[in-house]
Amino acid sequence: MSNDPIRNEPVTPEAESSSGSRRHRTRRQLLLWTLGLTPILAGGGLTAFRWKRKAEEEARAAPLTQAAAYYLFADHPEAGVHIEKALRASSTYAPALLLRACAELEAGNEAAARSTLAQASLRDTPEATLLLELATRRPHSPDWRHAFFDTWKTLGHPDFAKSALLPEPLEQGILLAQPEASYEQADEAQRLALKVLALDRCYGKCFFEIEEQLMKTSSLPLLVSSFEQYNDASDTNRRELMLPPVLDRLRELAGPSPRSLQLALLVFFQELEERPSSALFNRGDLAALEKLLSIPEWKPVSNEQHFQQMRAHFDGLLHAPGHHAWRMVLLAQGLSLGLTLLLRAQASKDQLTDDEQRWMGRLLWEFGVRIRKERSHPELDLGIRLQMAGSELSRYVPDKEESVDRWVELGFWERAVARAGCYRWPLPSLQEEFYTARARGEDTWMQSFAGVGALP
């Protein structure tokens, strides 16, 4: 018997060869074959370990990257610090590298941006391709928005709506600054604007100061903005305490002849609240609403005027003044009034006669016409919804077809803007220019991305 601890005995018969001879795999051969696989198996285990570690690093980097994006959107001086913090969690995390490249482009450091975009995890992605082309075009373009728009068109309108690299779009309720930190260096008009912007942060002394300021101001946009926020407040005590004085001031300014349909409708609803059946319209209410339509304008101050005024107030006090000025524009539109009109009209339908329903339908259509003249996306959306509801009540087919066509068209514009990722590119200068263009005419701005007309 052999002293070899691994005995050379057959263990597994193999298929017989064509010559008829039978070959056997010995235990020694099987062991040697298995040992030969050991480096491969070890390599597979190492790969799995590395993949797991990378996944864990990227999971840590993801929230840090989104937080860093807010600093970059705000053009905050510490944006770079937060971007590098995300990259320390994962040095190859593509969304964080994209932020770094955007920050470098914003700072005019094209060479550094190109180097960052050449990183393996980012190179050749649609996002990197666009930024590289943008870096080439920007020096020869009049501004950021045209350079971006021309780049996007040249590349064939790539779709960034579901990009995994771009940060989430900024919601309008997000404050990219602390308004209360700027009170001391602000004048009285600026302080009021800052407080209305951050109304939910006003407590204690600030709470009573803003009540006094609102009782003195003649700014309808700021009062309507305050109404919108207090009326929608989740804090019942704040709503019950602050909403009445704001409404009193608005009624005082409205007088017997309100100068905007928005203000007239607000007064109308307040009078309606005093009735027991305030949720439903009757024939007298329809006559009152028709009388209101003699007022030609929805609101007294245009989106662009209010935007420019608010931006001037916030400039030098807040980071991303355009972002915050646009929020003030949206609040001042008083869209809850139009929505209340729509909901109450629908709730009143069953108690109205056929003729009254048609009358109500025509009124809703005309209110929609007034609101759509304001041209921002939220106003267009609400105006079309009023017109669609009006066409249903009036049973007038041409009106229904027109409103549905406008609804489909607006959806087409929305998808085009989302496809370009307009709200998601963390380039502060680009976003500020976008806000200015949207305030001037958001419908024209959206249409350009949908291939209708030039970018404003």
Side-chain angles (χ1 to χ4, degrees):
M1 180 180 294
S2 170
N3 292 326
D4 189 346
I6 302 177
R7 299 181 64 183
N8 195 21
E9 296 176 351
V11 290
T12 307
E14 292 196 352
E16 189 169 308
S17 68
S18 58
S19 64
S21 63
R22 183 182 298 275
R23 292 176 300 168
H24 300 280
R25 189 182 300 278
T26 66
R27 287 182 179 175
R28 180 187 294 278
Q29 291 169 331
L30 184 62
L31 180 58
L32 293 175
W33 178 78
T34 304
L35 291 174
L37 276 182
T38 301
I40 300 175
L41 294 174
L46 182 59
T47 299
F49 172 76
R50 287 174 176 170
W51 180 88
K52 181 181 179 182
R53 185 174 65 180
K54 181 180 180 183
E56 291 173 345
E57 289 174 350
E58 291 187 349
R60 289 194 296 271
L64 297 174
T65 300
Q66 184 63 49
Y70 291 143
Y71 280 88
L72 186 52
F73 274 120
D75 200 18
H76 195 283
E78 294 185 8
V81 173
H82 289 272
I83 293 169
E84 295 310 312
K85 183 178 179 181
L87 285 169
R88 282 197 297 274
S90 175
S91 61
T92 61
Y93 188 49
L97 287 171
L98 186 78
L99 286 188
R100 178 196 273 174
C102 287
E104 290 163 343
L105 276 180
E106 179 72 24
N109 195 343
E110 181 185 327
R114 289 184 180 277
S115 176
T116 299
L117 293 169
Q119 296 290 317
S121 60
L122 192 55
R123 184 174 60 243
D124 299 328
T125 62
E127 292 82 359
T129 301
L130 183 138
L131 289 177
L132 286 169
E133 179 67 19
L134 179 61
T136 300
R137 288 178 175 270
R138 175 64 192 98
H140 310 290
S141 182
D143 49 42
W144 278 91
R145 68 178 184 275
H146 283 91
F148 174 86
F149 184 69
D150 292 341
T151 295
W152 184 66
K153 286 198 305 179
T154 298
L155 295 177
H157 309 91
D159 191 352
F160 297 107
K162 296 181 180 179
S163 169
L165 302 187
L166 292 173
E168 288 302 305
L170 283 176
E171 299 295 334
Q172 283 305 311
I174 294 176
L175 292 179
L176 295 173
Q178 295 181 344
E180 55 271 28
S182 302
Y183 289 164
E184 288 190 9
Q185 52 185 312
D187 59 32
E188 187 174 353
Q190 289 174 316
R191 284 188 181 185
L192 178 57
L194 289 168
K195 289 174 182 176
V196 172
L197 174 67
L199 212 54
D200 60 340
R201 297 190 186 190
C202 279
Y203 295 98
K205 181 180 178 181
C206 173
F207 188 84
F208 295 104
E209 284 179 351
I210 192 168
E211 179 182 9
E212 183 179 353
Q213 287 177 298
L214 288 172
M215 293 303 96
K216 293 179 180 178
T217 187
S218 297
S219 171
L220 289 174
L222 290 182
L223 284 164
V224 171
S225 297
S226 302
F227 164 78
E228 289 288 279
Q229 294 191 79
Y230 284 133
N231 195 42
D232 193 43
S234 57
D235 186 335
T236 304
N237 291 332
R238 287 171 64 85
R239 183 170 64 250
E240 292 179 351
L241 183 63
M242 287 302 297
L243 191 56
V246 170
L247 289 171
D248 287 344
R249 182 57 177 161
L250 282 166
R251 280 195 292 264
E252 182 181 350
L253 292 175
S257 302
R259 50 196 174 108
S260 71
L261 190 53
Q262 177 196 68
L263 190 54
L265 197 58
L266 186 145
V267 173
F268 170 78
F269 282 133
Q270 290 308 304
E271 293 173 351
L272 206 61
E273 289 291 341
E274 299 172 4
R275 288 204 334 236
S277 56
S278 59
L280 302 177
F281 290 140
N282 57 36
R283 191 173 184 86
D285 297 326
L286 300 185
L289 287 170
E290 185 161 49
K291 186 177 180 181
L292 296 186
L293 284 169
S294 62
I295 303 172
E297 293 182 327
W298 170 248
K299 59 182 189 286
V301 178
S302 72
N303 291 330
E304 184 177 15
Q305 287 175 306
H306 191 47
F307 176 83
Q308 294 296 347
Q309 184 180 36
M310 291 298 101
R311 197 186 184 290
H313 281 336
F314 298 150
D315 195 20
L317 295 178
L318 300 177
H319 297 293
H323 170 79
H324 298 105
W326 183 244
R327 171 170 163 74
M328 296 293 280
V329 167
L330 296 180
L331 287 170
Q333 290 172 355
L335 297 181
S336 70
L337 297 167
L339 184 59
T340 300
L341 174 63
L342 176 61
L343 295 176
R344 290 196 173 180
Q346 292 172 333
S348 305
K349 177 182 175 181
D350 292 339
Q351 82 160 21
L352 299 175
T353 66
D354 285 349
D355 285 345
E356 289 169 344
Q357 286 184 29
R358 291 188 177 91
W359 187 8
M360 183 77 248
R362 291 194 296 273
L363 294 176
L364 290 183
W365 181 272
E366 288 302 320
F367 272 97
V369 169
R370 298 292 201 285
I371 295 175
R372 281 180 58 189
K373 287 180 180 178
E374 303 301 322
R375 301 175 57 198
S376 76
H377 175 265
E379 290 164 321
L380 290 170
D381 178 78
L382 177 59
I384 294 172
R385 289 169 64 187
L386 283 164
Q387 290 185 307
M388 287 197 297
S391 65
E392 286 287 337
L393 287 171
S394 66
R395 303 172 183 84
Y396 188 57
V397 176
D399 280 354
K400 183 176 181 179
E401 292 176 347
E402 181 185 345
S403 59
V404 170
D405 286 346
R406 298 292 78 76
W407 186 259
V408 171
E409 185 178 48
L410 182 60
F412 184 63
W413 300 349
E414 291 168 350
R415 287 190 293 274
V417 170
R419 186 180 181 88
C422 289
Y423 309 126
R424 299 183 63 187
W425 289 97
L427 293 161
S429 295
L430 175 66
Q431 293 299 332
E432 287 290 298
E433 289 181 18
F434 274 169
Y435 285 124
T436 301
R438 291 165 70 185
R440 190 176 303 122
E442 194 170 19
D443 56 346
T444 304
W445 180 78
M446 295 177 74
Q447 287 177 58
S448 63
F449 285 94
V452 182
L455 183 75

